[in-house]
Amino acid sequence: MQIFEELKARGLLAQLTDEEEIRDLINNGKATFYIGFDPTADSLHVGHFMALCLMKRLQMAGNKPIALIGGGTAMIGDPSGRTDMRSMMTTEMIDHNCECFKKQMSRFIEFGEGKAMMVNNADWLRDLNYIEFIRDIGACFSVNNMLRAECYKQRMEKGLSFLEFNYMIMQSYDFLELYKRYGCNMQFGGDDQWSNMLGGTDLIRKKLGKDAYAMTITLLMNSEGKKMGKTQKGAVWLDPNKTTPFEFYQYWRNVADADVLKCLRMLTFLPLEQIDAMDKWEGSQLNEAKDILAYELTNLVHGEEEAAKAREASKGLFGGAGSLENMPKAELTADNFMDGKIDLIGMLVASGLVASRSEGRRAIEQGGVSVNDEKITDIKALYDMNQFDGEGLIVKRGKKNFKKLVLK
């Protein structure tokens, strides 16, 4: 199976402008393609994961990826999928985030001479002459057509700033610049980016002629992937200082049953034959599939050693067969104790499992808190300092949130 057919079989492709041409370029390793990443935080999260895996797959097949960091577009903010305008970031914040992205992407993509490139659109966007840009590029866009785009329609009722209205033009201009500078002939993006991407393809053909090679393709799940990157506690980051390897592993270990095979196909590099054989798995076998998914993705992001530690800790915590040594810990100090004791609410707060004492009280009263697998419903429960020596105590809130509390 060639790479284009494999991408289809894995459920990664949704809409294409020129399918036969795209198939030919990708299968013959002739695609120079880009995917954009706006640096709105100092770490990538699992919502970016599919794009990174796709870049890796295509590079392995001989194609050339361009990772476009949006140091310029981040100053405007993409309105797609949003109900309000992003908060403004300083250029210093944006540049710092760009550097963080570079380090994380290097785990997935091989950069260097003749290999993948990392480009920042700040290089051509930040110093644009507004009048010249509007005369040259703005004249190629119909406001009527832009307002019909889904990314704008959903914002019209609540208000769309003129600043954000420029985003489609800026993203389209990115494709034109990448085409002219680096011979970029293909762009990938999420299904929520379709209108912006078509704008880029159309701009190249208007400026350089209809025969100009410029193609677009979208990832079927990218907008869903962005939602996938969120939990009740916030985003699931690729930075181990924000989301530990164990927390990352547990996130994938707890995906819904209906999503396990979908994630295995889209995000792992396991052979499709092996994944297809899991189609009939049920019950405990589905848990095995989740474990495979969690291990494979943790290995991709954090390496084999951290993936193995996370798997052992998970088995120790939930199956009783592994080691608890590597599960997330919170350290208590003497300041956390009064007369040598700490109450359960204080333990929840100190562990970060709740944000406040009132939230901790509610969690206990609702029967959602346990200590060393024993459900505790007494909000006045106290624990001695010496109980935290050695192995410490494991505090759980619900089925998926837990910490080992030890004495510093």
Side-chain angles (χ1 to χ4, degrees):
M1 184 183 294
Q2 291 187 283
I3 184 63
F4 182 85
E5 286 69 30
E6 182 180 350
L7 296 181
K8 273 200 159 183
R10 288 183 179 273
L12 285 167
L13 307 184
Q15 302 180 79
L16 303 84
T17 53
D18 309 87
E19 181 164 343
E20 289 306 312
E21 290 86 347
I22 290 172
R23 176 187 282 109
D24 177 65
L25 286 173
I26 289 176
N27 284 344
N28 291 291
K30 296 179 180 178
T32 298
F33 67 96
Y34 94 90
I35 299 180
F37 301 82
D38 272 353
T40 53
D42 59 0
S43 172
L44 297 163
H45 56 69
V46 300
H48 298 112
F49 203 77
M50 186 179 298
L52 294 170
C53 291
L54 179 74
M55 295 176 88
K56 184 179 178 72
R57 291 183 206 280
L58 288 168
Q59 185 176 43
M60 290 168 64
N63 298 286
K64 185 176 180 180
I66 298 176
L68 179 65
I69 307 297
T73 42
M75 300 185 74
I76 294 177
D78 184 1
S80 302
R82 296 188 60 83
T83 57
D84 54 9
M85 194 169 81
R86 291 188 188 276
S87 57
M88 293 287 190
M89 295 193 299
T90 65
T91 54
E92 290 76 17
M93 292 168 60
I94 293 171
D95 291 343
H96 170 73
N97 293 348
C98 289
E99 289 301 314
C100 295
F101 277 23
K102 287 181 183 179
K103 294 176 184 177
Q104 292 178 341
M105 286 181 180
S106 296
R107 284 198 64 89
F108 294 84
I109 308 159
E110 190 175 356
F111 294 99
E113 187 69 31
K115 299 175 182 176
M117 299 177 61
M118 187 167 291
V119 178
N120 191 329
N121 65 16
D123 293 346
W124 55 81
L125 290 181
R126 288 190 187 175
D127 294 326
L128 281 177
N129 179 295
Y130 183 73
I131 296 297
E132 290 179 3
F133 179 75
I134 291 298
R135 280 174 60 90
D136 184 34
I137 304 300
C140 298
F141 288 82
S142 161
V143 171
N144 290 356
N145 290 338
M146 291 174 70
L147 290 176
R148 283 193 288 268
E150 200 61 40
C151 60
Y152 291 141
K153 279 165 54 177
Q154 60 190 0
R155 286 289 304 278
M156 291 301 289
E157 290 184 10
K158 291 195 174 182
L160 175 71
S161 71
F162 182 71
L163 178 70
E164 294 172 292
F165 189 63
N166 280 269
Y167 192 90
M168 180 188 290
I169 301 177
M170 294 292 189
Q171 183 171 328
S172 300
Y173 186 65
D174 282 345
F175 196 14
L176 176 63
E177 283 294 312
L178 291 170
Y179 182 93
K180 291 194 296 186
R181 292 175 183 227
Y182 309 110
C184 180
N185 53 19
M186 197 175 298
Q187 57 179 334
F188 284 76
D191 54 0
D192 59 339
Q193 293 292 310
W194 185 241
S195 298
N196 293 343
M197 294 166 67
L198 288 178
T201 299
D202 190 49
L203 177 62
I204 289 177
R205 292 174 179 175
K206 284 180 177 176
K207 297 299 293 182
L208 304 178
K210 291 184 179 180
D211 294 332
Y213 248 29
M215 304 174 184
T216 56
I217 191 167
T218 68
L219 311 186
L220 177 63
M221 290 288 295
N222 204 26
S223 60
E224 186 174 324
K226 291 177 182 177
K227 298 175 187 175
M228 186 186 294
K230 303 290 184 179
T231 69
Q232 290 182 346
K233 296 177 68 177
V236 179
W237 304 100
L238 304 192
D239 183 345
N241 295 314
K242 289 176 172 288
T243 299
T244 67
F246 179 81
E247 291 167 332
F248 186 84
Y249 178 95
Q250 282 304 126
Y251 173 78
W252 296 107
R253 180 64 181 75
N254 292 315
V255 298
D257 290 356
D259 292 333
V260 182
L261 293 182
K262 185 191 303 181
C263 291
L264 280 166
R265 288 190 179 98
M266 291 182 168
L267 302 176
T268 76
F269 289 79
L270 295 174
L272 279 169
E273 296 79 7
Q274 181 180 346
I275 300 169
D276 291 341
M278 302 179 193
D279 266 333
K280 297 180 181 179
W281 286 13
E282 297 178 351
S284 61
Q285 284 185 307
L286 267 182
N287 286 330
E288 183 182 345
K290 291 181 182 181
D291 177 71
I292 293 170
L293 172 69
Y295 179 84
E296 290 294 324
L297 298 189
T298 307
N299 184 13
L300 269 175
V301 176
H302 298 295
E304 187 175 358
E305 182 179 351
E306 291 299 332
K309 288 180 181 179
R311 173 180 269 174
E312 277 297 300
S314 180
K315 288 181 177 179
L317 187 62
F318 296 106
S323 168
L324 296 175
E325 181 182 353
N326 297 299
M327 71 172 293
K329 298 178 183 178
E331 294 183 332
L332 300 178
T333 67
D335 292 339
N336 295 115
F337 296 84
M338 182 175 293
D339 298 328
K341 296 182 182 296
I342 183 173
D343 66 357
L344 181 55
I345 297 176
M347 291 163 58
L348 288 168
V349 173
S351 68
L353 293 174
V354 298
S356 65
R357 289 187 64 85
S358 59
E359 184 182 345
R361 184 180 297 106
R362 286 193 299 273
I364 296 169
E365 290 174 341
Q366 292 166 2
V369 175
S370 64
V371 178
N372 283 0
D373 281 334
E374 179 186 355
K375 183 185 289 186
I376 308 295
T377 56
D378 181 5
I379 61 172
K380 296 181 180 179
L382 294 172
Y383 295 84
D384 293 321
M385 184 181 290
N386 57 20
Q387 291 179 266
F388 298 91
D389 286 333
E391 288 296 317
L393 297 176
I394 296 173
V395 182
K396 288 186 187 179
R397 182 189 176 190
K399 295 181 179 180
K400 302 178 182 179
N401 301 309
F402 39 81
K403 284 284 180 68
K404 180 195 290 188
L405 273 72
V406 297
L407 194 61
K408 188 173 181 178

